[in-house]
Amino acid sequence: MEKQSSDGSGPRHESPSSKPQTYVQSREEQQTSSPAPKKPSIPKRLWKKSGLDIPSVIILLKAGVPIAIALAIYQIDAVANHFTTIGYLIAVMGILGAPVLPRAKFIQGMILNIAALCIGCSVALLAIWCANQARLHTTPAGQPPGGYNSSASAVAAIWLFFLTYLGNAVRSARPQLQIPMIVFSIFINISSVYSPNFATIQVGKAFATKLLEVFLSGFAIAVGVHFLVFPITMRKPVFGMMTGYLQTVRGVLRAQVGYVRGLETENYFARAEASGAESSSDDDQKHNRASQKPGHSALPPQVMAVKAATGAMIALNAKLKTEIPFAKREVALGKLDAEDLKNLFKKTRNVTLPLIGLSSIIDILERISKAEGWNTLTKSSVANLDNEKVTKSFASFQATMRSLHEPFAQISTAMDEAVEHIMYQLEFTKRPKKTKTGDEESRSDHPQPGDKDFAHHLAERARAFFDDRVVTLRQFCERRGIDLPAGAFDASAPFPGQFKTMDESALNSDRRQVFIVLYMEYLLGRASRSLLELVRFADSKVEDGTMKKTRLIVPTFKRLKKWINSAVAQGDIGSEDQGVIDPPNSYELAFGDAFLSKRDAEHLPPQNLVERIGDHIRVIPHILRSRHSVFGFRAACATLSIAIVAYLKDSYMFFTKQRVVWALIMVAFSMRRTAGSSVFQFVLRLSSAVIAMVASYIIWYIVDGHAAGVIVFTYLLIGPCFLLVVKKPQYAIMGILSAVNTLLIIGYELQVQKLPTKVSLSNGQPIYPTYELAPYRLAAVATGLAIAYFWTIFPYPVTEHGELRRTLGGTLYILANYYAVVHESIGARVRGDEGDEHDKNSPGRRLAKARLDAFTKVQVLLAELKEGSSFTKFQINVGGRFPKEIYDRIILCCEKIVAHAALIGYASTSFAQHPVAVADTTAPPDANTNADLTTPPTSSAWLTDFRTLLRNTQTTSHEITSILSLLSSSISNNQPLPPYLKAPEPFGLLVKLQALDADILSVRHMAEPGYAAFAVMQIASRGLLGDVEECVGFVRELVGELDFSFHSVVSEDVAGLGRRVTRVGNGGAGGGGGGAGGRGGYGGQVGGKGKSD
């Protein structure tokens, strides 16, 4: 339904609801108007409170199956007689096989586990052969080969040290190989400590073969359970995450509408009431008291809701990026193939960025409130303030927000329904059941989610929202006393020459409010059009029959090749060095240094064969001095600190009898590169050992040691352990070790119960009852954990503080790269130099790839920074306190900088002559056709002129790239900032454009599609400059500044001695020393103060 607007400017589109401003809630109100639902039963309430769902129950039921099978088959005489004293390891390998993982991850993990196991068995046989050869060459003639041999022990120790070093170095360099390297280490540890005792190579070979069979048997059981018991494909969790992502999009939209609604009546920027003043409500009093607490962020609920919903959306989108590649690589029965999943994720990513930009309006309005003085107002009374100008400005702003209420509510409702439609069409959720009665009365007059014509309805809503901008802008001008003639926003209409443009008459605050309106409408409009593209994609999958039948989906050879590469490649997103790609003959391009391989300051590029061979040789010392090599060396030292007991004549029997080998294995599980995470992991592992001891008592004695009962109770315990692994990944090691340590106790006791006593004693270990064995296991585990922690901090700790600083420096450098790519992308779009979008070697495609790689790297590094910052509280501080608060603020600045830079690049697509890779939304979509959104619009004369002016104007600044690079260098090297470093001045683009053409940004052009994009770029640029300025200040506070200037301070003696004291000091290099008597850059004045006269 339409009605004529009061100003005669055209129809204002309304929703079918009688209250359009509350349309988002009206559907919920209709549901709540029905009779109150019956209170759920106690079991249902308990189920909901537990947080369990069907996938969780499957994990509970499935996780313990391989362990139960392994323990049960050992009760067969043939199995027990074959595996003898190491058969309980089958259950341990069943755990490490991880059968609860989705199919793609499980297959990849199992292949890597078997590969690591086979390599471990091969090198273990080599080590056994070397130890046996040492025994043969040092045993006197005629003496039996058995007994202790120092030479064999020394050779075995050397092999153990080397293989442990190698395995842990690889484990550090390739995080995806954690479990395979643990399997490798367990095999090496067990075989190496027993290899000096093998009298002949045949005995050693038989032991290694049997140990290999045990490991493979455990893996075989895990494979069978994975494929036969509740098989789970990677697609199911991915579709679940996709559903969750779409739901968070709805949450973001609702939170945004609530925030804008609150801006109409509340002042989110108001200062706290003065002391003694009465708050307007009890809630205000609580809010003010809470805001005075240390570390409390006094944010209104609406702001917190927007931030929480946006954070959840970003987190799910990032998680989808890591999980979708697995879903694309697996063989499965399904409907959407790998290409569909790729396109689906790409289109959801187009929805994410404008919503993130829309959420940034909170920080933008905070800055504007300080510039306008709105933060000086109080919540209780606005009108009583002496500054009438500020009061009038804020009242005008609230009126502007009220004018956005209706169009925002309508388009948000349509977008909410669009998300629902997508989930119905792609079968992410079930369609609601249609009732036989009341359908006609309850059905709206527009297509509902799931209907065939819903895309047409959404396109109409998007066009209506686009048209409503004219009404909003006209109302804004009328509130400013600007009387616009009819058709003022039509570029073809005559325009009075005496008419004053806003740029000539309005104040800066008026321009800010116009740009805010355009900013919000532009981004919400782009989000709605991205959702429209997603709706059409979902409809196309229904129309072409994709969603009608399930078929076998097999990955292509190219994807399998990528899978193999990713399984062993560096665990970083993208490559540090982008290889040179020769462009096709149709281009004459000279790419910058960033597109070429990284330079070496100490070596020129090799010119001949000898120099190229030398370059490859230099890789060896580079690897040996890397942080991964250092970690491997620490792990080897920790392992040999325990294993040395097995290689000495006076203690090797003690090592065997007291089962010290499991202290050795705990090192493989426990070693961490940084001290902070080691403290956290040490506590978790020790807690898991205590839990395992208590659980083993319960499991064994509650059934009085009967094998059947013990197996059942062990099965019941393993489920919750793996549920912890899946639900709480940060505590995954606690769940795994609780299960492993329990099996070491229970499995050994079942083995002793099954085997004859003579066989049980054949390995040299005495038989202990459960109540004695469990404390022995706890002592062995605690010893291994303690030694692992010791070698983490000795001879020097790799602190979480240093890692956080270096990672932050790397993040700032990648951020500088990202901004530089965005800068060049804008120039290429304005000049029309992007080239053919279908050519992979065209400048536009290469810039897009570099932009996406840098953006992804920044997101990964930001996640690492947040995790690293959380671990700093476990670091034992020696000396001054770690400035965690400042690091957190710099991390927050980095998040804002990357968001604003991405937004600038996103908005610049409106000025591209040939838009690529994104939907064009500078013009309204055609509601009457199904035209592709990527079709370039017909450029208006204004947009053509505006693009021409942009070519002659600097739209962004290279100074930001330079400053971010300098900040990165200072933080990475812990060096002071260069002197007189300041954040760049605003670009002044608006002034420059007006100087070239005074009419280009006048009121008559505000309704032009590109005008809103320009407003977004202006606001995002100002926000980015503010973030960079804040970042410079925080970094200066951390590392200081290279300042050699003299500062004279004259002050009067407070004690009344009748003399004046003059202090003269010079700032030392970087405030690091701060000059004589200075305290440095952090926490004090830069350069410090010198000695007094």
Side-chain angles (χ1 to χ4, degrees), residues 12 55 60 91 206 224 241 260 306 318 437 492 612 698 709 715 789 807 943 964 996 1021 1052 1079:
R12 162 82 79 172
L60 282 171
M241 282 185 282
V260 174
V306 173
T437 59
S492 61
R612 282 192 288 270
I698 296 173
Y715 166 80
Y789 178 70
T807 305
L943 185 59
L964 290 174
L996 294 174
S1021 299
E1052 188 174 353
R1079 66 170 294 185

Side-chain angles (χ1 to χ4, degrees), residues 272-284:
E273 298 286 351
S275 177
E278 295 183 0
S279 298
S280 59
S281 66
D282 293 339
D283 292 338
D284 290 335

Side-chain angles (χ1 to χ4, degrees), residues 810-880:
T811 303
L812 286 167
Y813 182 74
I814 300 297
L815 194 55
N817 290 349
Y818 177 66
Y819 182 79
V821 177
V822 170
H823 183 283
E824 293 303 324
S825 299
I826 294 174
R829 285 167 181 162
V830 172
R831 296 190 303 267
D833 294 339
E834 289 187 294
D836 185 5
E837 63 177 280
H838 302 293
D839 187 353
K840 292 184 178 181
N841 293 319
S842 65
R845 285 289 293 270
R846 295 192 67 181
L847 284 171
K849 184 180 184 304
R851 195 167 59 246
L852 181 59
D853 287 345
F855 181 80
T856 305
K857 283 185 180 181
V858 170
Q859 295 299 325
V860 171
L861 288 171
L862 286 173
E864 291 182 5
L865 284 171
K866 292 179 181 178
E867 183 180 1
S869 178
S870 66
F871 276 125
T872 56
K873 59 186 176 183
F874 298 103
Q875 179 78 44
I876 300 175
N877 286 320
V878 179

